[in-house]
Amino acid sequence: MLSASDAAGAGGPQVVEDRVRVVIAEDSVLLREGLTRLLTDRGHDVVAGVGDGEALIKAIRELADEGALPDVVVADVRMPPTHTDEGVRAAVQLRKEHPGLGVLVLSQYVEEQYATELLAGSSTGVGYLLKDRVAEVREFVDAVVRVARGGTALDPEVVAQLLGRSRKQDVLAGLTPREREVLGLMAEGRTNSAVAKQLVVSDGAVEKHVSNIFLKLGLSPSDGDHRRVLAVLTYLRS
């Protein structure tokens, strides 16, 4: 978990071309301030910070009314008053009200029910990371930007658990072990080049595996750029 002092030591203010506007929902003041500092130091705009799900919904609605809807919300799964699912419930509701709003949720543990509910609602602009991942500054900031731009960012542990669920095996039965491995890395939000580097194979080999995955999951070229996300989410919707 990242503290304000950790974020302060992660680097000075930076100007970035891919600047995004963020709202943070986290009941721990220390973590909320740390995330704010981390993102602003890298040139992004944190336009609001709140401590519970109700306040998150109110903040987003007010910003929307002002014509200033943020690019992405970063929200803890568990927030007051019950510390169960307020954060993810608010995130799901906001996604329904504002389909173009990116949502990245943070959790202490992999909670399959919440991950599935969030991911099954839409095929773009969603993410689910474990809080330990926040300590990996570059990966976390990259995930925030990726989700803000309509991509996905799934923690490897989340991917491993969801892809391993027995009730989803029929959907993926036609994939080879290597194709499953490629699909898992795609689900983390990695590009073909990043997948190739991780697996120590050529870019061409990865492109072939990805094409096979699309074919076996019944995703046609007409699905456009969203095929990568749809490939990951197909098993969630079966």
Side-chain angles (χ1 to χ4, degrees):
M1 195 175 293
L2 186 74
S3 69
S5 59
D6 292 329
Q14 300 177 20
V15 177
V16 295
E17 293 183 5
D18 207 5
R19 192 184 191 104
V20 298
R21 301 175 70 255
V22 188
V23 169
I24 297 175
E26 166 61 56
D27 61 296
S28 166
V29 176
L30 187 63
L31 180 55
R32 187 166 71 239
E33 292 301 317
L35 293 175
T36 298
R37 181 68 179 275
L38 187 157
L39 290 166
T40 56
D41 277 356
R42 279 154 183 77
H44 302 294
D45 298 321
V46 176
V47 297
V50 298
D52 60 69
E54 185 176 335
L56 172 59
I57 292 174
K58 180 180 179 181
I60 295 299
R61 287 175 176 171
E62 289 178 349
L63 287 167
D65 288 343
E66 297 169 2
L69 191 70
D71 300 303
V72 61
V73 167
V74 178
D76 191 357
V77 166
R78 299 173 181 265
M79 290 194 291
T82 67
H83 291 279
T84 53
D85 61 358
E86 284 83 358
V88 73
R89 293 293 178 194
V92 170
Q93 181 175 334
L94 289 170
R95 290 278 292 177
K96 292 178 180 178
E97 294 180 10
H98 307 285
L101 177 66
V103 173
L104 174 61
V105 299
L106 304 177
S107 180
Q108 196 68 45
Y109 310 101
V110 178
E111 300 177 86
E112 292 184 12
Q113 177 183 347
Y114 300 148
T116 301
E117 182 173 3
L118 180 69
L119 294 170
S122 177
S123 61
T124 60
V126 292
Y128 189 112
L129 296 181
L130 296 184
K131 285 189 175 181
D132 287 347
R133 196 69 54 188
V134 178
E136 300 177 25
V137 175
R138 179 182 293 274
E139 287 191 23
F140 172 70
V141 175
D142 286 348
V144 171
V145 173
R146 189 160 63 247
V147 171
R149 298 309 182 207
T152 56
L154 301 184
D155 194 283
E157 289 298 320
V158 175
V159 174
Q161 289 201 28
L162 292 179
L163 287 177
R165 295 171 67 174
S166 59
R167 73 184 183 90
K168 301 299 180 184
Q169 292 305 304
D170 289 346
V171 180
L172 305 177
L175 301 185
T176 66
R178 177 61 94 180
E179 287 165 354
R180 287 172 181 254
E181 193 172 10
V182 170
L183 178 57
L185 292 171
M186 286 167 59
E188 293 172 24
R190 298 181 189 238
T191 63
N192 284 2
S193 294
V195 172
K197 183 176 181 180
Q198 176 71 22
L199 299 181
V200 195
V201 297
S202 69
D203 287 0
V206 172
E207 290 174 5
K208 183 177 180 179
H209 288 311
V210 171
S211 294
N212 288 338
I213 290 169
F214 291 158
L215 179 63
K216 292 179 180 180
L217 294 184
L219 299 173
S220 68
S222 63
D223 291 315
D225 293 337
H226 296 319
R227 285 195 298 173
R228 293 182 71 85
V229 179
L230 291 172
V232 174
L233 300 183
T234 293
Y235 70 96
L236 290 174
R237 294 175 172 177
S238 66

